[in-house]
Amino acid sequence: MSNEELREQLCMIGTSAADFAAARGGPQRARRVHEGASAFDPKTWRAIAGLGWFGIAVPEADGGLALGAAAACVVAEEAGRALLSEPLATGMAAASVLAAARSLRPADEALQALLAGEGHVAMACAATADRGEEIFHIGLVPEGDAASLWLAVRGDGADFEARLLRVGSPGLGLSVRAAVDGSRLADARVERAAWFDAPRILQGAEGASIWSRGLRLAWLADAAALCGLADAALKLALEYMRLRHQFGVPIGSFQALQHHAADCHVDATASRALVHEAARAADSPRGNWAAAAAIVRASATALRVTQEVVQFHGAIGFADEHDAGLYLRRAMALGARHTRSALARLQESARL
């Protein structure tokens, strides 16, 4: 496929994704989630699966679209722009990992369920152990136990292993809490016996490499979503600055506000360029480093831009009833998912 054909394909994917995300998401739904409604809609989840988004980075032989990280970022950017609350990035990343382990029946069954939109597979990394009796995992779930499976990993190098943990199994406990935007976070506490009873689908250095590629895709997709929501938030502020008058003129004519808006535009544009360049470099030797840089930069940019957007609206922007705060809260929740692990990757690369 030529570069021109690829651009046309990505443009069509983006248009389709924008229409779908606008119909299923938007500030009104984000507000309902913030006020306590579920962040996970099974109908929307199945509709996303019907569009093939979960298989966007899965080989065609495994039932996917094989479009790669660049297409995943185009879709995720539009989802972020519309504040779509379903954990799209996790779904795409988990599918790519499961596809690589499809020769094992548990992985294949989980992959088919995910591609059909019949389940959600959360990704969880080991955080710590408690008195040598239990393994503590932390991850993100859409709504309580809506994640039917946890793709959980521990160790590194030759000691790396990934297992599929089924929610509700004996020895697996969940501690769920609300994020600032109303989505749900969960910690999983796994007894050692339950861990070793769960099917192992990846192990060793090869398994660690497969997991790393999946994590890279999650970083890139969430980075693109952050770029999308930052752009949408800035457009909301610019429209307000055109309509709001003070001293007989639009406040957008004030030079101080123009400078701040220009800085936000440059920052958002640069972050978006970095994300999409990192997506094109996803399969290169520096792919992990590029993806880590993309999510760190996009997180910082989205947080800065959405904070400025609240300021642009003046006192009304600080009111909980205004939409400006929805973008800020989503930026805070989404950016916090990966920042620590991505920064660790960047520090590791700097030492090499």
Side-chain angles (χ1 to χ4, degrees):
M1 183 183 299
S2 68
N3 289 336
E4 183 61 31
E5 290 174 332
L6 178 60
R7 281 194 294 270
E8 291 180 0
Q9 185 182 53
L10 292 179
C11 182
M12 289 188 294
I13 292 172
T15 301
S16 174
D19 292 340
F20 176 86
R24 298 279 183 162
Q28 289 185 344
R29 185 184 173 205
R31 181 167 300 285
R32 291 196 297 270
V33 171
H34 172 60
E35 293 174 349
S38 174
F40 184 81
D41 177 24
K43 292 182 179 179
T44 298
W45 194 250
R46 286 192 290 271
I48 291 173
L51 293 171
W53 289 0
F54 298 134
I56 208 164
V58 172
E60 291 183 4
D62 297 322
L65 301 179
L67 295 176
C73 285
V74 169
V75 168
E77 183 176 344
E78 297 304 332
R81 192 186 310 278
L83 296 175
L84 197 67
S85 59
E86 280 68 30
L88 177 61
T90 304
M92 291 191 283
S96 70
V97 173
L98 292 170
R102 193 185 175 193
S103 59
L104 299 177
R105 183 177 177 181
D108 183 51
E109 291 176 347
L111 174 63
Q112 298 310 316
L114 179 55
L115 293 180
E118 297 302 326
H120 172 66
V121 182
M123 299 175 71
C125 295
T128 186
D130 182 14
R131 301 178 184 175
E133 298 175 352
E134 297 178 330
I135 302 171
F136 180 76
H137 290 75
I138 186 167
L140 177 80
V141 293
E143 181 68 26
D145 60 356
S148 53
L149 290 171
W150 287 67
L151 178 55
V153 303
R154 71 171 187 176
D156 52 25
D159 296 327
F160 175 89
E161 60 177 341
R163 295 178 184 263
L164 278 175
L165 305 171
R166 186 170 296 279
V167 172
S169 299
L172 173 61
L174 287 179
S175 175
V176 182
R177 61 192 185 279
V180 68
D181 65 338
S183 60
R184 301 296 188 266
L185 298 171
D187 296 336
R189 200 169 185 83
V190 186
E191 295 179 4
R192 289 192 179 275
W195 173 262
F196 289 113
D197 285 343
R200 183 170 59 191
I201 63 170
L202 296 173
Q203 62 179 322
E206 182 180 357
S209 177
I210 292 171
W211 173 263
S212 181
R213 290 198 298 270
L215 187 60
R216 180 192 316 166
L217 183 62
W219 285 348
L220 289 170
D222 272 340
L226 285 162
C227 289
L229 76 85
D231 183 64
L234 184 56
K235 287 181 178 178
L236 177 72
L238 293 178
E239 181 64 20
Y240 176 78
M241 290 163 66
R242 282 191 289 267
L243 296 176
R244 177 75 167 90
H245 282 63
Q246 204 169 54
F247 307 115
V249 296
I251 63 173
S253 64
F254 300 160
Q255 192 174 62
L257 292 181
Q258 290 177 357
H259 287 172
H260 281 280
D263 286 344
C264 288
H265 172 73
V266 170
D267 202 1
T269 301
S271 293
R272 183 179 185 275
L274 174 60
V275 170
H276 287 278
E277 189 64 29
R280 286 189 286 270
D283 296 325
S284 72
R286 300 286 279 174
N288 283 344
W289 182 90
I295 185 63
V296 170
R297 173 65 188 266
S299 298
T301 295
L303 187 59
R304 173 179 175 263
V305 169
T306 53
Q307 287 174 335
E308 289 279 16
V309 166
V310 170
Q311 294 282 353
F312 287 148
H313 284 85
I316 193 174
F318 290 88
D320 195 54
E321 294 78 11
H322 199 277
D323 287 350
L326 298 174
Y327 294 94
L328 173 58
R329 286 188 286 267
R330 181 60 54 83
M332 293 169 65
L334 198 57
R337 291 186 192 180
H338 309 292
T339 301
R340 181 178 297 179
S341 57
L343 282 172
R345 180 60 57 85
L346 290 175
Q347 291 169 351
E348 178 184 343
S349 299
R351 290 194 295 267
L352 297 178

